[in-house]
Amino acid sequence: MTVLSADRARAAEAETRPARPSCLTGGWPQDGSDLRPDPSLVFGRLANGLQYVLMPNSEPKNRVALYLLVRAGSLNETDEQRGLAHFLEHMLFNGTTHYPPGTLIKYFQSLGMGFGGDTNAQTGFDETIYNLLLPSADAAVLTDGFKVLADYARGALLLETEVNRERGVILSEKRSRDSAAARVAKKQMEFDFTGTLVARRDPIGVEEVLNTADSSRLRAFYDSWYRPDNMVVVAVGDMQPQETAKLLEKAFVGLKAAEAPILCPEMGKVKESGLDIQILPEPELGATNVALTTVSNIQPHIDSQAWEIEQMRQYLVSILLDNRLKQLEQQPNSPLAQPRAHAGLFLRQYNYATLAARTETGTWREALTLLQTTLGQALKDGFTEDELVRSKREVKAMLEKEVQTAASRDSRQLADEIIRKLGDGEVILSPAQEMAFYGPVLDKLTLAEVNGALRQLWNGPRRQIHLAGVLDPGLTAAQLQEQVRELYLANQAKDLPAWVEARRAPFPYLTLPTVAENEHIGQVSLKEIGVETVSLANGVLLNIKPTDFQANQVMLSVQFGNGRQDEPAAGMALSAEALMRESGIGRLTREQLNQALAGTNVTLDFAVGPESFSFNGSSLRNEFETLLQLLRHRLHDPAFRPEDFRRSRENLHRMYDQLAGTAEGVAQIQGERFLAGGSPEYGLPDWGEVEKIDLARISGWLTPILARDPLEINVVGDIDPAEAIKLVRKYFGAEKRQAPEAQPAQPIVFPAGEERHLQAASTIDRALLIMAWQTADFWDIDRTRRLNLLASVFDDRLRIKIREELGATYSPQVTSQPSRTSIGFGLMKSSLIVAPDQAGSLARAIRAVAAGLVSKGVSEDELHRALEPTLTSIKDIKRNNRYWMESVLNLSSRHPQQLQWPLTILEGFAAIKADQLTELARQYLAPERAATVIVAPMATAGPAGPPATKQ
């Protein structure tokens, strides 16, 4: 009877309880699906409705990533709340039940967590995400982490004084994110999704709301949407799920939803027919963007095998179209630059697909025609079997890499992926499950099915055309719009030529060198750091660091020559890098080379550094030989084609035009060189210098260096040293290389006490303030470590003073930049995005903070809060292939002291004392020694062009 009475009572309560709002889902993507989730995941739900996902993972060691997903973002705002979801995200760092205002970040630092790196948050259209990367997997630290997330969930104080203080930070963030590219992207989204809530809910909000937001309005949004049954906690890391679940439940089970109204957003629908043209004059973009797009409405789907097969077909369509665009980019005098094809789902309610490219000013007609023709050819004739085979190989290579590297995936990336898939309603599969499912799907997928998916995606009656950036002078927006319409309709009426596939070329094609079997090899084992060093008798040195940090992955870096130290003329290094990015090899264009490497994960990039040239690449372990083959071809058969040079020059020109319209860009070109006395190690050359460099000069500079300069080959990763030695000897054992003479670096004269005012060709109300002090070079490693820590202390003081107290900037940054090539030179540099009219007063504030460091020194508390996150990060980086490559092995043949640094890095930092940092501050940071750069917008940035229009 008691049980029956209880059941009746619950039934009666359910009848009288208000119906659960439809936007509070509370389910899992696998509910009702024929797909089963990754078996290593633990799914759970507490009595209050809060959901959780737990996943054990071992990288980084002894750390756990904790995420709180709130299923509410800007789309959940009313018109009067636009921007409050993001404002609220900020406020949760400014006072909660257990962490009064001003204490949370200091608490994180004391635990060994860096603000921004190990703890952060973000607000999107339909979600707000808070994340922590705990410095330890101990139960006490996990308990504290869950307490922080539980405070985010229902413990916000939202004090009026803190709201007013944070308002300036949010307006500063809005200013810092404002750019020509951001404005174009926002306007295009508004245009594409006209008629929907998306077009009216930019997450950053509107200033009229941000300027008047108060505690009560933030509380109303918080109480409506921050409720346990609208949240998911995700924990991934080096922990036991069963024990972690108990700690999680203890922290969250007592949370209750507030009694607050919930108004589910009405998303709206896009229109699905007609030709819509958007003209966006934006001279500061530095180029012309052209895009052909289609958007349609869909019903949210339950994830299933059938649905995933359909999505795979559409994914292949995007790859196929993208490959065609990349081939067209390689054609002589092609109007397309950086073309791309993309398609997908947005918010589970809209399907979109786009073909887009950049082009030179005045060639948008040719670019649009080419995009339209490429799509029309595919719709009319479909793709070819060879194209489909290549795209399948590319997808299978990605799947295979995920399988082979599954054992060493990063907990943060896994947590991000879980959050993303929950938001997209996708069942979370393991890499092995994905390969087992998609592998056979790809094998069986026919050309007819893929061509059908293309037509399903693109045959709808609606088209949008975007034309944005630098537009034709002398034409109004209405005139441009009419020209676009006429051109599009004329192209639609044309007979389309058949698609012509690019000629395939064999790779590899160079004959193997003859290597003497009895050639002497010198081999030294550096057992303390686990490195094998092998000297070949021909100017080739090989360093191998075998690791198990990233399963089946191998990194390669080849250092040679003297880099920018031997630059014959300013702009040569930049031009050479740009050309090599566009180039293939002697017998294969870049696209032919990409086609030859399809089905592999091999990458190899060229760079010109301050003291060397380099090729840097990676592959899976079973692809390492292919990576070496590619390296040999890049060294012994480089390509210097006029067409590649044309594309690289146009890309650089567009880059410089865009840089000229931003404060950061002008600082790169003029400000950095000013601070470094014109040294090429810092900043970018002037465009006039770059423009003088021609193809013959680049070829004449690089060709002998690639062929003759000694090679330092560094290999780090999951590989057997004997295998690496055998393969390197096979491909590079017959080299004949001789060391060049290094040119001494020119001394740098720092402009101490000087101030430089620069202008960006922009109308955006934002300025960049840089203040720098000269320090010292890189090679006293103890001093370099102390300068890094001093930069952290300086950075934290600026955060407290300028962000927290003054609310005058979003993210002040201080970095130490010691030179590797200029003896005695380095920079301690602070940079802030600020309101132009505040730049002068904030420069004085930075000097005052520096003066405080000099006069009062660094406290023990400041040292502790800077040191603990550093020590935590050191433990992580020592298990990272990139650290061993970039900080230890690269150029160790010239700087052998680097090989000792891993032995002392942890103890060296741990031994730093507060008085040592104070001594450095007094040595280098005297306010009168600072050099200042202020980059502000011009009062007028030239003709603004016609106003934006849409139709």
Side-chain angles (χ1 to χ4, degrees):
M1 289 292 294
T2 304
V3 174
L4 288 175
S5 297
D7 287 344
R8 290 193 186 103
R10 280 193 290 269
E13 182 185 354
E15 289 177 5
T16 58
R17 187 189 306 135
R20 180 180 175 83
S22 60
C23 48
L24 300 184
T25 57
W28 298 111
Q30 61 264 29
D31 296 344
S33 174
D34 54 3
L35 292 166
R36 294 297 89 200
D38 183 343
S40 69
L41 299 174
V42 175
F43 296 87
R45 181 182 286 105
L46 302 183
N48 58 11
L50 183 132
Q51 298 171 271
Y52 62 85
V53 184
L54 310 178
M55 182 180 187
N57 188 63
S58 59
E59 290 293 342
K61 292 288 185 188
N62 197 38
R63 301 196 74 177
V64 179
L66 297 185
Y67 283 57
L68 174 67
L69 166 63
V70 182
R71 296 179 184 270
S74 61
L75 292 174
N76 300 82
E77 300 165 347
T78 64
D79 284 346
E80 294 73 27
Q81 293 176 324
R82 286 173 293 172
L84 293 194
H86 176 247
F87 204 135
L88 181 58
E89 171 221 305
H90 276 242
M91 290 304 302
L92 292 185
F93 291 86
N94 290 348
T96 59
T97 302
H98 295 97
Y99 303 96
T103 64
L104 184 59
I105 293 173
K106 291 182 179 180
Y107 173 70
F108 286 148
Q109 292 168 333
S110 70
L111 284 181
M113 299 164 61
F115 179 54
D118 295 327
T119 172
N120 217 323
Q122 63 188 67
T123 303
F125 285 101
D126 62 342
E127 62 188 15
T128 306
I129 302 167
Y130 302 87
N131 60 279
L132 309 173
L133 181 62
L134 300 181
S136 165
D138 294 346
V141 177
L142 273 168
T143 298
D144 284 348
F146 284 136
K147 182 166 69 174
V148 171
L149 293 190
D151 266 19
Y152 291 161
R154 288 303 308 149
L157 298 181
L158 303 179
L159 302 177
E160 203 70 69
T161 54
E162 295 302 314
V163 173
N164 291 329
R165 191 194 308 271
E166 193 65 21
R167 192 186 324 277
V169 176
I170 291 166
L171 292 171
S172 294
E173 180 182 359
K174 189 173 186 292
R175 177 182 295 111
S176 71
R177 298 190 187 284
D178 194 5
S179 67
R183 287 186 292 188
V184 167
K186 288 179 182 180
K187 290 175 183 177
Q188 287 182 345
M189 177 165 281
E190 292 171 6
F191 182 77
D192 286 342
F193 292 92
T194 298
T196 76
L197 199 57
V198 173
R200 308 190 301 277
R201 290 295 183 269
D202 180 12
I204 198 66
V206 296
E207 290 198 11
E208 62 184 277
V209 173
L210 300 178
N211 282 321
T212 58
D214 58 20
S215 176
S216 63
R217 294 169 71 184
L218 288 163
R219 175 69 63 184
F221 186 88
Y222 185 67
D223 285 346
S224 289
W225 299 107
Y226 279 61
R227 41 187 296 141
D229 55 356
N230 197 38
M231 295 177 176
V232 184
V233 174
V234 176
V236 182
D238 208 354
M239 48 79 179
Q240 297 296 323
Q242 192 171 17
E243 297 304 316
T244 303
K246 293 176 183 177
L247 298 175
L248 185 154
E249 181 170 6
K250 184 177 180 181
F252 288 93
V253 73
L255 303 186
K256 295 181 181 179
E259 294 292 333
I262 296 177
L263 298 176
C264 293
E266 294 290 336
M267 295 295 295
K269 294 184 179 298
V270 297
K271 72 173 190 174
E272 294 189 316
S273 62
L275 173 63
D276 298 315
I277 300 166
Q278 184 184 43
I279 306 297
L280 284 178
E282 192 62 74
E284 295 166 29
L285 196 62
T288 305
N289 290 353
V290 184
L292 185 62
T293 301
T294 183
V295 181
S296 59
N297 305 293
I298 62 168
Q299 289 296 320
H301 282 72
I302 293 176
D303 201 12
S304 66
Q305 293 184 27
W307 176 250
E308 288 299 324
I309 291 171
E310 182 178 337
Q311 294 305 297
M312 176 56 77
R313 292 173 185 146
Q314 292 194 359
Y315 182 55
L316 286 170
V317 166
S318 292
I319 292 176
L320 288 158
L321 286 171
D322 196 71
N323 286 341
R324 285 195 173 186
L325 292 178
K326 295 295 192 295
Q327 178 181 324
L328 292 171
E329 184 189 16
Q330 298 285 303
Q331 291 183 346
N333 299 311
S334 173
L336 302 182
Q338 302 163 9
R340 62 198 181 279
H342 185 59
L345 301 176
F346 184 50
L347 300 172
R348 302 182 65 195
Q349 300 198 47
Y350 309 104
N351 216 1
Y352 68 92
T354 186
L355 304 182
R358 286 195 154 194
T359 190
E360 292 291 289
T361 304
T363 60
W364 65 262
R365 295 166 183 82
E366 294 84 352
L368 176 58
T369 297
L370 204 49
L371 294 179
Q372 197 176 344
T373 300
T374 303
L375 177 61
Q377 289 169 325
L379 288 170
K380 175 175 173 281
D381 301 323
F383 300 107
T384 68
E385 195 65 47
D386 283 347
E387 289 178 297
L388 179 59
V389 168
R390 174 186 172 180
S391 67
K392 286 183 177 183
R393 289 169 59 199
E394 290 172 342
V395 175
K396 279 195 171 182
M398 290 186 285
L399 293 171
E400 182 61 34
K401 181 177 181 179
E402 291 301 311
V403 171
Q404 291 198 34
T405 61
S408 55
R409 291 176 293 174
D410 185 274
S411 294
R412 289 159 292 194
Q413 295 172 355
L414 284 168
D416 285 334
E417 184 73 358
I418 290 170
I419 293 283
R420 184 190 68 78
K421 290 197 171 185
L422 289 175
D424 291 343
E426 293 182 34
V427 177
I428 304 161
L429 305 179
S430 70
Q433 286 176 307
E434 289 184 338
M435 178 60 86
F437 175 69
Y438 292 119
V441 167
L442 286 165
D443 289 339
K444 296 176 184 176
L445 211 56
T446 66
L447 192 59
E449 290 174 316
V450 174
N451 287 332
L454 166 72
R455 296 181 179 107
Q456 181 183 3
L457 192 61
W458 278 99
N459 256 350
R462 188 186 183 201
R463 287 287 185 275
Q464 296 112 292
I465 300 174
H466 300 278
L467 188 62
V470 183
L471 304 181
D472 300 37
L475 293 178
T476 66
Q479 289 171 326
L480 281 169
Q481 192 176 73
E482 188 56 32
Q483 287 190 15
V484 170
R485 181 179 302 279
E486 290 175 358
L487 177 65
Y488 178 83
L489 294 176
N491 288 337
Q492 287 294 93
K494 289 180 182 176
D495 290 333
L496 295 173
W499 171 257
V500 179
E501 285 190 66
R503 178 182 61 84
R504 299 184 67 177
F507 174 85
Y509 54 80
L510 292 179
T511 57
L512 279 172
T514 302
V515 181
E517 289 294 328
N518 58 353
E519 179 191 1
H520 174 71
I521 296 178
Q523 184 167 349
V524 177
S525 296
L526 305 175
K527 294 181 179 179
E528 288 182 303
I529 59 172
V531 171
E532 295 290 321
T533 297
V534 179
S535 299
L536 304 183
N538 55 6
V540 176
L541 179 76
L542 171 63
N543 294 312
I544 311 161
K545 168 67 178 177
T547 73
D548 60 358
F549 310 150
Q550 291 159 289
N552 292 303
Q553 296 181 75
V554 182
M555 293 181 67
L556 173 75
S557 183
V558 182
Q559 306 288 323
F560 57 99
N562 296 313
R564 291 201 293 270
Q565 282 184 292
D566 286 349
E567 188 177 32
M572 186 80 85
L574 185 67
S575 298
E577 282 187 336
L579 174 61
M580 294 289 274
R581 274 196 300 271
E582 291 298 317
S583 301
I585 51 181
R587 298 185 192 175
L588 282 76
T589 65
R590 187 187 69 185
E591 180 56 23
Q592 287 175 318
L593 185 57
N594 289 339
Q595 187 177 45
L597 294 171
T600 76
N601 294 278
V602 170
T603 66
L604 190 67
D605 299 313
F606 175 78
V608 184
E611 54 181 333
S612 68
F613 301 90
S614 63
F615 281 107
N616 304 287
S618 64
S619 71
L620 294 178
R621 179 170 57 193
N622 60 359
E623 301 167 338
F624 185 62
E625 183 168 7
T626 304
L627 179 57
L628 292 179
Q629 290 171 339
L630 178 58
L631 171 64
R632 186 161 182 270
H633 284 72
R634 296 299 301 265
L635 286 167
H636 287 283
D637 194 22
F640 299 99
R641 299 183 180 92
E643 185 59 28
D644 296 339
F645 178 72
R646 178 194 66 80
R647 283 198 313 278
S648 69
R649 174 56 50 85
E650 289 178 356
N651 287 339
L652 284 177
H653 197 181
R654 282 189 292 270
M655 181 187 82
Y656 269 81
D657 283 346
Q658 190 168 6
L659 290 174
T662 68
E664 295 90 337
V666 172
Q668 275 187 277
I669 299 169
Q670 300 180 54
E672 297 287 346
R673 289 285 171 97
F674 163 70
L675 293 174
S679 169
E681 185 178 352
Y682 295 83
L684 294 173
D686 182 79
W687 171 248
E689 296 171 317
V690 176
E691 200 171 23
K692 295 175 184 175
I693 306 301
D694 59 26
L695 179 60
R697 294 181 76 185
I698 299 174
S699 174
W701 184 41
L702 289 186
T703 300
I705 292 171
L706 292 166
R708 119 203 128 196
D709 283 16
L711 305 178
E712 178 193 277
I713 301 177
N714 299 304
V715 179
V716 178
D718 192 0
I719 191 168
D720 179 3
E723 178 188 1
I725 294 168
K726 177 183 175 182
L727 289 172
V728 169
R729 282 197 72 225
K730 178 179 178 179
Y731 290 99
F732 298 98
E735 300 286 313
K736 301 297 181 185
R737 293 177 173 269
Q738 296 180 343
E741 290 186 12
Q743 299 296 318
Q746 296 299 312
I748 293 176
V749 179
F750 179 72
E754 296 185 31
E755 187 167 306
R756 179 68 56 91
H757 288 259
L758 305 172
Q759 287 189 319
S762 173
T763 58
I764 301 175
D765 187 38
R766 63 198 295 272
L768 176 64
L769 167 61
I770 300 174
M771 188 166 290
W773 287 258
Q774 181 175 349
T775 55
D777 62 62
F778 193 85
W779 297 109
D780 181 339
I781 194 61
D782 291 329
R783 180 183 61 205
T784 293
R785 290 166 178 169
R786 292 195 295 270
L787 283 169
N788 281 339
L789 215 54
L790 179 60
S792 296
V793 172
F794 196 175
D795 183 280
D796 199 49
R797 285 204 183 184
L798 289 186
R799 176 188 64 80
I800 294 169
K801 179 64 181 179
I802 297 180
R803 175 182 163 130
E804 306 298 339
E805 293 183 17
L806 301 178
T809 192
Y810 171 58
S811 182
Q813 294 181 336
V814 179
T815 56
S816 175
Q817 300 176 350
S819 173
R820 291 177 61 98
T821 59
S822 297
I823 301 303
F825 186 79
L827 292 175
M828 180 75 71
K829 189 175 75 172
S830 65
S831 57
L832 301 78
I833 293 293
V834 300
D837 60 356
Q838 293 184 337
S841 62
L842 292 176
R844 292 189 291 274
I846 296 173
R847 285 194 188 90
V849 172
L853 282 169
V854 171
S855 62
K856 297 180 181 179
V858 175
S859 70
E860 291 294 335
D861 176 62
E862 287 178 310
L863 171 67
H864 177 70
R865 290 189 291 105
L867 182 58
E868 289 305 314
T870 301
L871 296 178
T872 299
S873 68
I874 289 170
K875 294 171 186 176
D876 288 348
I877 66 172
K878 288 189 73 174
R879 290 188 54 79
N880 186 290
N881 288 344
R882 190 169 295 280
Y883 163 74
W884 287 95
M885 181 66 81
E886 296 178 356
S887 298
V888 181
L889 295 189
N890 278 354
L891 296 174
S892 60
S893 59
R894 306 181 197 181
H895 309 293
Q897 63 267 45
Q898 292 177 187
L899 299 172
Q900 299 301 310
W901 293 348
L903 301 175
T904 63
I905 183 172
L906 191 61
E907 294 78 5
F909 271 101
I912 293 173
K913 306 298 182 185
D915 58 359
Q916 292 175 311
L917 300 189
T918 298
E919 182 182 348
L920 285 178
R922 289 171 179 165
Q923 181 178 357
Y924 295 120
L925 298 185
E928 65 274 10
R929 296 184 59 213
T932 305
V933 175
I934 298 174
V935 188
M938 290 182 176
T940 57
T949 67
K950 65 180 181 180
Q951 177 175 307

